Structures are given as structure tokens and as C-alpha cells.
Amino acid sequence: MNLGYLGFGQMGSAIARGLADHCPEVQSGAVRQYAWAPHADKLRERAAACSVHACESADELVNACDTIVLACKPYQVEDAVRGLDFSGKAVVSIVNTWGFADLKRVLGDGARVQCIMPNTPMKVGKGTVLLAEENDLTSAEREHIRALLGSVAAIVELPEAKIPAASAICGCGPAFLYMVIEALGDAGVKNGLSRRAAYELAASTLVGAGEMVLRDPSAHPGALKDAVCSPGGTTIRGVAALEEAGMRSAFIKAVDATLS
């Protein structure tokens, strides 16, 4: 299988890097990765960092690959695909705001389309990928795509209409959580810790707390929070301060803002 990235920005290169580092099929050479983007110098730099072959043209990419990852910006889609022949190709789109019907319209009936929404932690093999139920891949193509992405991400399959709300959590969520890590780091520095130590403590605590939720789906986050809060203790005082500051409301408003 040859996997080609049409457009190779932050998200496309994060997927390629993750696959190069964590996917056995890519590491063995059974799946080869290609990329093309209009800015040649930046393309070559990013491609070299991900062990990806940089193509000289979009035509070269499409001709070389049986699976194309459409990874450009939403406003670039029509220009990026104009004049290219996607007949018989599987096109996996990571372009938000472009749904299945929109892509079929611009790519033509010869292309088979699957919309996904990944997130940047795929770069380190810890991502999440939203997989739209609406698609016309063959069953073999779909299973292969699931296997590839599953090597670097948790796969969540949803109706296309639910993807925006889910993406607000797992796509935008890393930025929100980096702010949490940064804020806890500031608090640590304020109270005498080194910046590096404070960030490491905050990040590792966030990872561990997330794993606690994932390992026991029946455990409510509120119950896990309660288990840390002793009567009259330090943690419950911190929780009360966060509630007073409107922490829950702030996160809900952040998700709502991405959908407005």
C-alpha cells in the first residue's frame, strides 16, 4: 500500500510521524508514505523528519499512491484536487467542514471517500481518530485504514453529524489541556518548583488521570474526583476554588465556541 498526503501541514505530518514511529506496516516497508505540498522547502524538511518521500507534483503523488490523505486547509480543497484523477483511489479526508457529500461532488464518483478527524497526539502514538460512518470504501480498505490508524490512535466511529461536537473535545481539546498543564506549571513555579519539574508533574498527572478513566468505563469522573478529596482536606479546598472560578463553565463555553 502506498499512502500519500495531499497537503502536508501540522496534522498530516503528525500522522506520518506517528505511523513511522509506531506502525509495524510502515516500519517494515509494507506501507510506504508519500507527500506533496506547494511549498517545496517546507515539504522536504517535514518529509525528511517523518521518513516520507517528497513528491515533485500532486500528479506524481496521486499516480504513486492507492490511498490519498486529503490534508490541506478547507479553503484549499477545490484548487488542490482540480485536474487530478482520483478514479479507483481511496481518499481519506482530514479536512474539517468538508463532509462526505461535498467531497464526492468535487472528487467525482470514481473516488471512494472516508472522512476522519484526527488529533495531533497521533504524533506520539497516543491520538484519537473520529471515523465517520458515512463512506464508500471497500470493506478491505476500511479495515486496513482502521488498522493503520489504530496503531497510533483510539478509533471512535460516529455519524458524520456528530463529528463536529466530538472534534471539539478531542481535536481542540489538546490545546485546552496544554493550557491546564501550563497553568498548573505556573502554580508550581509560584510555589518554588522549577518550570521543567512543574510541567512534568502536571503532564504525567494528566496522563495518569486519563488512564484511570479509560481503564474503568463504569467509573464516573466525579467519583474518581471524590476519591481524592478527603473531608476537610487540601484537595477539596482546591476543588472549591476551581468551582468558584467557573472552571466547568469555562470548558463548556470553550467547546461551544468552537461550534458557533
Side-chain angles (χ1 to χ4, degrees):
M1 176 185 183
N2 288 350
L3 181 66
Y5 300 87
L6 185 57
F8 203 54
Q10 294 290 342
M11 188 63 75
S13 59
I15 298 171
R17 174 81 270 171
L19 292 176
D21 288 347
H22 300 282
C23 178
E25 284 193 276
V26 173
Q27 292 171 335
S28 70
V31 172
R32 296 175 297 276
Q33 299 192 95
Y34 297 74
W36 179 83
H39 303 293
D41 290 343
K42 188 174 291 187
L43 167 65
R44 284 191 290 267
E45 179 183 343
R46 284 181 172 164
C50 304
S51 302
V52 170
H53 174 75
C55 295
E56 296 295 326
S57 68
D59 276 313
E60 178 190 346
L61 177 88
V62 173
N63 290 333
C65 299
D66 43 16
T67 301
I68 311 297
V69 178
L70 187 58
C72 54
K73 300 294 186 184
Y75 70 88
Q76 297 171 325
V77 169
E78 295 194 68
D79 287 339
V81 305
R82 187 174 291 117
L84 299 175
D85 183 5
F86 293 94
S87 298
K89 308 289 184 180
V91 179
V92 178
S93 172
I94 66 172
V95 182
N96 63 357
T97 75
W98 280 74
F100 177 77
D102 301 317
L103 290 166
K104 291 295 290 185
R105 175 177 56 81
V106 299
L107 296 175
D109 291 334
R112 297 182 295 278
V113 173
Q114 170 71 69
C115 294
I116 70 170
M117 189 51 58
N119 66 4
T120 53
M122 292 181 74
K123 184 175 182 178
V124 295
K126 296 292 183 180
T128 302
V129 172
L130 307 174
L131 197 70
E133 291 177 353
E134 297 84 345
N135 73 93
D136 59 356
L137 299 186
T138 67
S139 58
E141 287 169 339
R142 188 168 170 83
E143 287 310 305
H144 198 185
I145 291 297
R146 286 182 67 97
L148 282 176
L149 298 176
S151 68
V152 292
I155 307 294
V156 179
E157 190 166 342
L158 293 169
E160 188 174 274
K162 302 291 186 182
I163 296 289
S167 181
I169 296 172
C170 67
C172 304
F176 305 156
L177 295 176
Y178 295 143
M179 293 174 70
V180 171
I181 292 170
E182 185 180 27
L184 288 172
D186 285 345
V189 171
K190 179 176 181 288
N191 286 280
L193 296 176
S194 72
R195 176 70 61 182
R196 185 67 255 167
Y199 283 162
E200 287 178 358
L201 288 167
S204 62
T205 300
L206 190 66
V207 170
E211 190 65 25
M212 291 281 284
V213 174
L214 292 173
R215 287 198 179 189
D216 185 1
S218 66
H220 192 284
L224 293 172
K225 178 263 295 176
D226 289 348
V228 187
C229 295
S230 302
T234 56
T235 305
I236 193 63
R237 292 201 294 272
V239 167
L242 288 171
E243 294 286 15
E244 185 178 358
M247 180 272 294
R248 292 175 194 259
S249 177
F251 275 105
I252 292 170
K253 288 178 178 179
V255 170
D256 289 348
T258 72
L259 298 170
S260 61

